[in-house]
């Protein structure tokens, strides 16, 4: 019974987040109102507040789900390339940049930010508990499987730097995706190579 309640609650939360996403894409986060989200989701305004506490709480849930989708796709892309480390790095970065460029929610957020409002942008960029921690964790897990042994501190720095650079190119692209992905993949290779622990001297 408890599991059924949890499933029902998750569906409720998903429906509210879906409604918030739809509203954000249509009118921008600044114009989203909790009452309108509730009506679109088919629940009461109080239910939305009960589940998320505030508009900021809803923003965090919306961003968390978007980040989860991206990180899941990155994990799958890296895994699909097996032992082809350069190919996996390029594919994961290119996929992320391409998906972000076509994602209507991210477009809405970036458009609002360029218009002077960045209320939702930090949830998808600099908030470490969202993008940086999860994406860096995915990259480190892949590196542990596919790369030679690395120094944990240097490897963590490498993964964090790659994620931050990818995010910066999502927010402010400066070159075609293929070129950016190729250069970032090369840099990722260099950073992780610098983190590699030298093999013991058996001489």
């Amino acid at each position: 019974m408890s599991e059924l309640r949890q499933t029902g609650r998750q569906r409720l939360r998903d429906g509210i987040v879906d409604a918030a996403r739809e509203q954000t894409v249509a009118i921008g986060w600044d114009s989203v109102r909790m009452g309108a989200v509730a009506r679109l989701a088919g629940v009461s305004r109080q239910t939305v507040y009960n589940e998320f506490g505030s508009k900021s709480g809803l923003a965090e849930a919306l961003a968390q789900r978007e980040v989860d989708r991206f990180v899941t796709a990155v994990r799958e892309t890296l895994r699909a390339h097996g032992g082809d480390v350069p190919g996996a790095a390029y594919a994961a970065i290119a996929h992320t940049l391409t998906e972000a460029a076509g994602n209507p929610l991210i477009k809405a957020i970036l458009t609002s930010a360029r218009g002077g409002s960045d209320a939702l942008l930090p949830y998808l960029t600099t908030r470490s508990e969202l993008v940086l921690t999860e994406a860096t964790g995915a990259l480190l897990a892949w590196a542990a499987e596919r790369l030679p042994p690395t120094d944990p501190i240097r490897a963590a720095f490498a993964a964090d730097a790659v994620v931050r650079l990818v995010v910066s190119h999502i927010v402010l692209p400066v070159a075609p995706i293929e070129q950016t992905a190729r250069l970032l993949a090369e840099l990722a290779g260099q950073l992780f190579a610098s983190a590699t622990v030298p093999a013991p001297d058996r001489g």
Side-chain angles (χ1 to χ4, degrees), residues 8-30:
R9 186 181 178 196
Q10 189 59 53
R11 281 200 297 266
L12 171 67
R13 290 175 65 86
D14 286 344
I16 295 170
V17 173
D18 285 341
R21 189 182 196 279
E22 184 176 332
Q23 287 273 290
T24 302
V25 170
I27 61 176
W29 179 251
D30 282 355

PDB file of all heavy atoms in Angstrom, residues 8-30:
ATOM      1  N   GLY A   8       1.578   6.980  -6.620  1.00  0.00           N
ATOM      2  CA  GLY A   8       0.555   7.986  -6.872  1.00  0.00           C
ATOM      3  C   GLY A   8       1.071   9.388  -6.636  1.00  0.00           C
ATOM      4  O   GLY A   8       0.786  10.308  -7.414  1.00  0.00           O
ATOM      5  N   ARG A   9       1.867   9.562  -5.599  1.00  0.00           N
ATOM      6  CA  ARG A   9       2.426  10.883  -5.313  1.00  0.00           C
ATOM      7  C   ARG A   9       3.420  11.299  -6.383  1.00  0.00           C
ATOM      8  O   ARG A   9       3.473  12.464  -6.782  1.00  0.00           O
ATOM      9  CB  ARG A   9       3.105  10.883  -3.940  1.00  0.00           C
ATOM     10  CG  ARG A   9       3.558  12.281  -3.559  1.00  0.00           C
ATOM     11  CD  ARG A   9       4.243  12.335  -2.232  1.00  0.00           C
ATOM     12  NE  ARG A   9       4.682  13.685  -1.965  1.00  0.00           N
ATOM     13  CZ  ARG A   9       5.584  14.014  -1.036  1.00  0.00           C
ATOM     14  NH1 ARG A   9       6.119  13.064  -0.290  1.00  0.00           N
ATOM     15  NH2 ARG A   9       5.937  15.266  -0.856  1.00  0.00           N
ATOM     16  N   GLN A  10       4.208  10.339  -6.876  1.00  0.00           N
ATOM     17  CA  GLN A  10       5.162  10.677  -7.919  1.00  0.00           C
ATOM     18  C   GLN A  10       4.452  11.101  -9.188  1.00  0.00           C
ATOM     19  O   GLN A  10       4.882  12.032  -9.879  1.00  0.00           O
ATOM     20  CB  GLN A  10       6.086   9.479  -8.201  1.00  0.00           C
ATOM     21  CG  GLN A  10       7.253   9.812  -9.135  1.00  0.00           C
ATOM     22  CD  GLN A  10       8.126  10.921  -8.572  1.00  0.00           C
ATOM     23  OE1 GLN A  10       8.599  10.844  -7.437  1.00  0.00           O
ATOM     24  NE2 GLN A  10       8.339  11.981  -9.355  1.00  0.00           N
ATOM     25  N   ARG A  11       3.350  10.430  -9.504  1.00  0.00           N
ATOM     26  CA  ARG A  11       2.571  10.839 -10.678  1.00  0.00           C
ATOM     27  C   ARG A  11       2.015  12.243 -10.500  1.00  0.00           C
ATOM     28  O   ARG A  11       1.984  13.036 -11.444  1.00  0.00           O
ATOM     29  CB  ARG A  11       1.433   9.847 -10.923  1.00  0.00           C
ATOM     30  CG  ARG A  11       1.863   8.558 -11.618  1.00  0.00           C
ATOM     31  CD  ARG A  11       0.671   7.853 -12.256  1.00  0.00           C
ATOM     32  NE  ARG A  11      -0.299   7.448 -11.249  1.00  0.00           N
ATOM     33  CZ  ARG A  11      -0.341   6.248 -10.685  1.00  0.00           C
ATOM     34  NH1 ARG A  11       0.545   5.327 -11.034  1.00  0.00           N
ATOM     35  NH2 ARG A  11      -1.248   5.947  -9.780  1.00  0.00           N
ATOM     36  N   LEU A  12       1.575  12.535  -9.280  1.00  0.00           N
ATOM     37  CA  LEU A  12       1.069  13.872  -8.976  1.00  0.00           C
ATOM     38  C   LEU A  12       2.158  14.919  -9.184  1.00  0.00           C
ATOM     39  O   LEU A  12       1.946  15.938  -9.859  1.00  0.00           O
ATOM     40  CB  LEU A  12       0.568  13.913  -7.522  1.00  0.00           C
ATOM     41  CG  LEU A  12       0.205  15.295  -6.954  1.00  0.00           C
ATOM     42  CD1 LEU A  12      -1.005  15.853  -7.671  1.00  0.00           C
ATOM     43  CD2 LEU A  12      -0.037  15.206  -5.449  1.00  0.00           C
ATOM     44  N   ARG A  13       3.324  14.661  -8.620  1.00  0.00           N
ATOM     45  CA  ARG A  13       4.439  15.602  -8.758  1.00  0.00           C
ATOM     46  C   ARG A  13       4.866  15.750 -10.213  1.00  0.00           C
ATOM     47  O   ARG A  13       5.137  16.860 -10.681  1.00  0.00           O
ATOM     48  CB  ARG A  13       5.621  15.147  -7.894  1.00  0.00           C
ATOM     49  CG  ARG A  13       5.380  15.281  -6.398  1.00  0.00           C
ATOM     50  CD  ARG A  13       6.538  14.708  -5.598  1.00  0.00           C
ATOM     51  NE  ARG A  13       7.775  15.463  -5.801  1.00  0.00           N
ATOM     52  CZ  ARG A  13       8.112  16.539  -5.108  1.00  0.00           C
ATOM     53  NH1 ARG A  13       7.300  17.011  -4.180  1.00  0.00           N
ATOM     54  NH2 ARG A  13       9.246  17.154  -5.351  1.00  0.00           N
ATOM     55  N   ASP A  14       4.912  14.630 -10.928  1.00  0.00           N
ATOM     56  CA  ASP A  14       5.289  14.681 -12.340  1.00  0.00           C
ATOM     57  C   ASP A  14       4.303  15.532 -13.144  1.00  0.00           C
ATOM     58  O   ASP A  14       4.702  16.307 -14.022  1.00  0.00           O
ATOM     59  CB  ASP A  14       5.343  13.275 -12.932  1.00  0.00           C
ATOM     60  CG  ASP A  14       6.560  12.488 -12.463  1.00  0.00           C
ATOM     61  OD1 ASP A  14       7.497  13.110 -11.929  1.00  0.00           O
ATOM     62  OD2 ASP A  14       6.558  11.252 -12.635  1.00  0.00           O
ATOM     63  N   GLY A  15       3.017  15.389 -12.832  1.00  0.00           N
ATOM     64  CA  GLY A  15       2.010  16.173 -13.539  1.00  0.00           C
ATOM     65  C   GLY A  15       2.156  17.657 -13.286  1.00  0.00           C
ATOM     66  O   GLY A  15       1.991  18.481 -14.198  1.00  0.00           O
ATOM     67  N   ILE A  16       2.487  18.019 -12.055  1.00  0.00           N
ATOM     68  CA  ILE A  16       2.691  19.434 -11.716  1.00  0.00           C
ATOM     69  C   ILE A  16       3.938  19.976 -12.410  1.00  0.00           C
ATOM     70  O   ILE A  16       3.929  21.085 -12.963  1.00  0.00           O
ATOM     71  CB  ILE A  16       2.783  19.607 -10.186  1.00  0.00           C
ATOM     72  CG1 ILE A  16       1.442  19.247  -9.536  1.00  0.00           C
ATOM     73  CG2 ILE A  16       3.188  21.040  -9.832  1.00  0.00           C
ATOM     74  CD1 ILE A  16       1.497  19.156  -8.018  1.00  0.00           C
ATOM     75  N   VAL A  17       5.008  19.193 -12.392  1.00  0.00           N
ATOM     76  CA  VAL A  17       6.240  19.628 -13.061  1.00  0.00           C
ATOM     77  C   VAL A  17       6.019  19.736 -14.571  1.00  0.00           C
ATOM     78  O   VAL A  17       6.514  20.669 -15.213  1.00  0.00           O
ATOM     79  CB  VAL A  17       7.408  18.673 -12.728  1.00  0.00           C
ATOM     80  CG1 VAL A  17       8.641  19.025 -13.556  1.00  0.00           C
ATOM     81  CG2 VAL A  17       7.745  18.742 -11.243  1.00  0.00           C
ATOM     82  N   ASP A  18       5.274  18.804 -15.143  1.00  0.00           N
ATOM     83  CA  ASP A  18       4.927  18.894 -16.566  1.00  0.00           C
ATOM     84  C   ASP A  18       4.215  20.209 -16.864  1.00  0.00           C
ATOM     85  O   ASP A  18       4.501  20.877 -17.872  1.00  0.00           O
ATOM     86  CB  ASP A  18       4.015  17.738 -16.978  1.00  0.00           C
ATOM     87  CG  ASP A  18       4.749  16.417 -17.104  1.00  0.00           C
ATOM     88  OD1 ASP A  18       5.989  16.435 -17.239  1.00  0.00           O
ATOM     89  OD2 ASP A  18       4.076  15.366 -17.067  1.00  0.00           O
ATOM     90  N   ALA A  19       3.270  20.558 -16.005  1.00  0.00           N
ATOM     91  CA  ALA A  19       2.510  21.792 -16.201  1.00  0.00           C
ATOM     92  C   ALA A  19       3.423  23.013 -16.082  1.00  0.00           C
ATOM     93  O   ALA A  19       3.313  23.977 -16.857  1.00  0.00           O
ATOM     94  CB  ALA A  19       1.375  21.873 -15.185  1.00  0.00           C
ATOM     95  N   ALA A  20       4.323  22.993 -15.113  1.00  0.00           N
ATOM     96  CA  ALA A  20       5.255  24.102 -14.939  1.00  0.00           C
ATOM     97  C   ALA A  20       6.173  24.236 -16.155  1.00  0.00           C
ATOM     98  O   ALA A  20       6.471  25.353 -16.602  1.00  0.00           O
ATOM     99  CB  ALA A  20       6.086  23.886 -13.674  1.00  0.00           C
ATOM    100  N   ARG A  21       6.603  23.105 -16.685  1.00  0.00           N
ATOM    101  CA  ARG A  21       7.456  23.126 -17.872  1.00  0.00           C
ATOM    102  C   ARG A  21       6.711  23.730 -19.056  1.00  0.00           C
ATOM    103  O   ARG A  21       7.245  24.569 -19.792  1.00  0.00           O
ATOM    104  CB  ARG A  21       7.923  21.709 -18.203  1.00  0.00           C
ATOM    105  CG  ARG A  21       8.989  21.624 -19.285  1.00  0.00           C
ATOM    106  CD  ARG A  21       9.347  20.155 -19.563  1.00  0.00           C
ATOM    107  NE  ARG A  21      10.588  20.017 -20.301  1.00  0.00           N
ATOM    108  CZ  ARG A  21      10.711  20.160 -21.618  1.00  0.00           C
ATOM    109  NH1 ARG A  21       9.641  20.454 -22.343  1.00  0.00           N
ATOM    110  NH2 ARG A  21      11.887  20.000 -22.213  1.00  0.00           N
ATOM    111  N   GLU A  22       5.475  23.286 -19.252  1.00  0.00           N
ATOM    112  CA  GLU A  22       4.666  23.790 -20.358  1.00  0.00           C
ATOM    113  C   GLU A  22       4.466  25.299 -20.249  1.00  0.00           C
ATOM    114  O   GLU A  22       4.570  26.030 -21.236  1.00  0.00           O
ATOM    115  CB  GLU A  22       3.320  23.071 -20.380  1.00  0.00           C
ATOM    116  CG  GLU A  22       2.425  23.453 -21.550  1.00  0.00           C
ATOM    117  CD  GLU A  22       1.145  22.651 -21.594  1.00  0.00           C
ATOM    118  OE1 GLU A  22       1.130  21.498 -21.106  1.00  0.00           O
ATOM    119  OE2 GLU A  22       0.146  23.188 -22.125  1.00  0.00           O
ATOM    120  N   GLN A  23       4.177  25.760 -19.030  1.00  0.00           N
ATOM    121  CA  GLN A  23       3.981  27.191 -18.811  1.00  0.00           C
ATOM    122  C   GLN A  23       5.269  27.970 -19.058  1.00  0.00           C
ATOM    123  O   GLN A  23       5.245  29.051 -19.650  1.00  0.00           O
ATOM    124  CB  GLN A  23       3.507  27.421 -17.375  1.00  0.00           C
ATOM    125  CG  GLN A  23       2.071  27.001 -17.124  1.00  0.00           C
ATOM    126  CD  GLN A  23       1.105  28.114 -17.460  1.00  0.00           C
ATOM    127  OE1 GLN A  23       1.043  29.113 -16.768  1.00  0.00           O
ATOM    128  NE2 GLN A  23       0.367  27.941 -18.544  1.00  0.00           N
ATOM    129  N   THR A  24       6.383  27.432 -18.590  1.00  0.00           N
ATOM    130  CA  THR A  24       7.660  28.123 -18.761  1.00  0.00           C
ATOM    131  C   THR A  24       8.015  28.273 -20.233  1.00  0.00           C
ATOM    132  O   THR A  24       8.468  29.337 -20.677  1.00  0.00           O
ATOM    133  CB  THR A  24       8.783  27.367 -18.025  1.00  0.00           C
ATOM    134  OG1 THR A  24       8.438  27.251 -16.637  1.00  0.00           O
ATOM    135  CG2 THR A  24      10.112  28.095 -18.145  1.00  0.00           C
ATOM    136  N   VAL A  25       7.818  27.213 -20.991  1.00  0.00           N
ATOM    137  CA  VAL A  25       8.111  27.253 -22.425  1.00  0.00           C
ATOM    138  C   VAL A  25       7.203  28.269 -23.124  1.00  0.00           C
ATOM    139  O   VAL A  25       7.631  28.996 -24.026  1.00  0.00           O
ATOM    140  CB  VAL A  25       7.942  25.858 -23.054  1.00  0.00           C
ATOM    141  CG1 VAL A  25       7.996  25.934 -24.573  1.00  0.00           C
ATOM    142  CG2 VAL A  25       9.024  24.913 -22.527  1.00  0.00           C
ATOM    143  N   ALA A  26       5.953  28.351 -22.680  1.00  0.00           N
ATOM    144  CA  ALA A  26       4.975  29.210 -23.350  1.00  0.00           C
ATOM    145  C   ALA A  26       5.140  30.686 -23.000  1.00  0.00           C
ATOM    146  O   ALA A  26       5.063  31.554 -23.879  1.00  0.00           O
ATOM    147  CB  ALA A  26       3.559  28.752 -22.996  1.00  0.00           C
ATOM    148  N   ILE A  27       5.391  30.983 -21.711  1.00  0.00           N
ATOM    149  CA  ILE A  27       5.353  32.391 -21.287  1.00  0.00           C
ATOM    150  C   ILE A  27       6.577  32.844 -20.506  1.00  0.00           C
ATOM    151  O   ILE A  27       6.674  34.026 -20.141  1.00  0.00           O
ATOM    152  CB  ILE A  27       4.085  32.667 -20.448  1.00  0.00           C
ATOM    153  CG1 ILE A  27       4.068  31.800 -19.177  1.00  0.00           C
ATOM    154  CG2 ILE A  27       2.823  32.427 -21.276  1.00  0.00           C
ATOM    155  CD1 ILE A  27       2.886  32.090 -18.245  1.00  0.00           C
ATOM    156  N   GLY A  28       7.529  31.948 -20.229  1.00  0.00           N
ATOM    157  CA  GLY A  28       8.698  32.334 -19.448  1.00  0.00           C
ATOM    158  C   GLY A  28       8.462  32.148 -17.961  1.00  0.00           C
ATOM    159  O   GLY A  28       7.343  32.332 -17.475  1.00  0.00           O
ATOM    160  N   TRP A  29       9.521  31.785 -17.247  1.00  0.00           N
ATOM    161  CA  TRP A  29       9.389  31.447 -15.826  1.00  0.00           C
ATOM    162  C   TRP A  29       8.873  32.616 -14.995  1.00  0.00           C
ATOM    163  O   TRP A  29       8.094  32.425 -14.053  1.00  0.00           O
ATOM    164  CB  TRP A  29      10.737  30.965 -15.294  1.00  0.00           C
ATOM    165  CG  TRP A  29      10.703  30.622 -13.835  1.00  0.00           C
ATOM    166  CD1 TRP A  29      11.287  31.309 -12.806  1.00  0.00           C
ATOM    167  CD2 TRP A  29      10.029  29.516 -13.234  1.00  0.00           C
ATOM    168  NE1 TRP A  29      11.031  30.697 -11.611  1.00  0.00           N
ATOM    169  CE2 TRP A  29      10.255  29.588 -11.848  1.00  0.00           C
ATOM    170  CE3 TRP A  29       9.258  28.468 -13.744  1.00  0.00           C
ATOM    171  CZ2 TRP A  29       9.742  28.659 -10.957  1.00  0.00           C
ATOM    172  CZ3 TRP A  29       8.739  27.531 -12.857  1.00  0.00           C
ATOM    173  CH2 TRP A  29       8.979  27.638 -11.483  1.00  0.00           C
ATOM    174  N   ASP A  30       9.278  33.829 -15.299  1.00  0.00           N
ATOM    175  CA  ASP A  30       8.840  34.975 -14.512  1.00  0.00           C
ATOM    176  C   ASP A  30       7.327  35.135 -14.520  1.00  0.00           C
ATOM    177  O   ASP A  30       6.736  35.644 -13.557  1.00  0.00           O
ATOM    178  CB  ASP A  30       9.480  36.259 -15.034  1.00  0.00           C
ATOM    179  CG  ASP A  30      10.927  36.408 -14.587  1.00  0.00           C
ATOM    180  OD1 ASP A  30      11.398  35.565 -13.808  1.00  0.00           O
ATOM    181  OD2 ASP A  30      11.585  37.368 -15.030  1.00  0.00           O
TER     182      ASP A  30
END
